[in-house]
Amino acid sequence: SMLRTYHPKKLHRTAERNQKILEEIKRIFDENKHRYGVRRVHQELINRGYQVNHKRVQRIMHEAGLAGKRPKEK
């Protein structure tokens, strides 16, 4: 049951899921010439049937060193 407050297996499951999400993010990234920021990547994940929070997308992308190319501030 999911009511248990803590057990280490959950961490493993999350890591596995993050890995899947990361692979999809990289796919999205390559398909879009690395121009996608968190917002668009997140939207695309949802379009592809992933249920994921944008903060998680942000963290995964940040940890993987992926970020959309943004125009430089003048």
Side-chain angles (χ1 to χ4, degrees), residues 11-22:
L11 249 149
H12 181 65
R13 260 205 308 279
T14 301
E16 250 177 32
R17 186 157 176 265
N18 283 353
Q19 192 53 43
K20 267 204 171 66
I21 292 167
L22 176 59

Side-chain angles (χ1 to χ4, degrees), residues 21-71:
I21 292 167
L22 176 59
E23 280 163 22
E24 197 61 45
I25 287 172
K26 283 180 171 166
R27 212 165 290 137
I28 292 166
F29 232 61
D30 289 341
E31 285 166 18
N32 294 284
K33 311 274 188 292
H34 299 224
R35 280 193 204 99
Y36 270 27
V38 174
R39 270 205 187 110
R40 284 203 285 189
V41 169
H42 178 240
Q43 193 53 56
E44 190 55 39
L45 285 170
I46 286 173
N47 292 347
R48 295 177 186 205
Y50 285 80
Q51 274 194 302
V52 60
N53 184 299
H54 82 275
K55 285 179 182 163
R56 178 182 222 164
V57 174
Q58 197 165 25
R59 197 180 64 242
I60 293 172
M61 285 178 71
H62 189 78
E63 283 171 6
L66 303 169
K69 298 233 191 321
R70 276 184 297 277

